[in-house]
Amino acid sequence: MSEQKWNLVTREGLQVSVRPAGIDDETLLMELFDHVSPQDLRFRFLSAIKHASRRQIAELIGVGHGAVQSYIAFARDTTTPIATAVLACDGEKRRAETAISVRSDFKGHGLGWGLLGLMVQEAKRHGMEKIESIEDRSNYDAVELEQNMGFKIKPYPDDPSLLLLSKSLIA
């Protein structure tokens, strides 16, 4: 696992430490998703679930998929996970998809904004041309946040309940 770490300060002054997640972080991610609201779980996994499964966590971490990098955020100086972000690159390494989940009791502090900014930065660092996000149409907060960060919105092909948000990373 990479030793890389990022320190973020959200607009509300929350100090956050972010690091890449690894296979040993399955328990931490299970704990995190146990503190995500049912609605946010539905938005994240695009289906109604009560708990994230071990298979879903393995996919988030990228087990068996070198093109997936997962990140875990912690309130500075704690070991409690408060958010996660994923950056999944396509086979051609031109496009990255991102998804972010925040613990219910840490929402509203700018953590999603900070993590999305980090995912854009990381996608650029990896040479991606575009970053995308698939959102449920009713996930108003995420859609607004991404639009405020410069993502363009389009209907998702073949599913009227979803939106495709994308941002060009080419200068």
Side-chain angles (χ1 to χ4, degrees):
M1 180 171 32
S2 171
E3 295 297 319
Q4 192 159 15
K5 225 181 213 182
W6 299 266
N7 293 314
L8 307 174
V9 178
T10 71
R11 70 171 184 262
E12 298 288 322
L14 179 65
Q15 295 185 12
V16 179
S17 176
V18 181
R19 67 166 173 78
I23 190 126
D24 295 337
D25 293 318
E26 179 180 313
T27 302
L28 283 175
L29 287 168
M30 295 290 284
E31 176 187 339
L32 169 65
F33 282 108
D34 282 344
H35 292 90
V36 171
S37 73
Q39 181 180 34
D40 286 340
L41 281 173
R42 183 175 62 81
F43 289 153
R44 173 59 187 88
F45 295 103
L46 300 176
S47 66
I49 61 171
K50 291 184 180 183
H51 299 283
S53 70
R54 284 183 151 351
R55 183 182 60 73
Q56 288 167 316
I57 297 299
E59 288 173 4
L60 285 179
I61 296 172
V63 174
H65 305 286
V68 175
Q69 179 62 64
S70 188
Y71 302 80
I72 302 177
F74 302 88
R76 190 87 50 88
D77 299 328
T78 73
T79 58
T80 302
I82 61 172
T84 184
V86 173
L87 194 64
C89 303
D90 69 355
E92 298 172 357
K93 301 274 187 184
R94 294 178 55 214
R95 184 180 59 81
E97 182 180 330
T98 191
I100 296 169
S101 296
V102 177
R103 272 179 65 126
S104 297
D105 52 340
F106 281 88
K107 290 187 75 152
H109 295 282
L111 188 51
W113 178 271
L115 286 174
L116 185 58
L118 178 60
M119 294 304 96
V120 168
Q121 173 188 314
E122 284 297 285
K124 284 181 183 177
R125 187 173 72 83
H126 290 290
M128 300 294 118
E129 296 174 9
K130 181 190 291 189
I131 187 167
E132 297 177 332
S133 177
I134 300 168
E135 300 293 352
D136 186 294
R137 282 184 181 274
S138 61
N139 193 352
Y140 306 116
D141 291 340
V143 171
E144 180 180 25
L145 183 151
E146 291 166 23
Q147 284 183 300
N148 287 340
M149 197 168 278
F151 282 64
K152 304 297 179 208
I153 189 169
K154 294 191 306 191
Y156 188 80
D158 301 323
D159 191 335
S161 69
L162 300 177
L163 297 170
L164 178 64
L165 290 102
S166 64
K167 178 180 176 103
S168 174
L169 301 177
I170 300 172

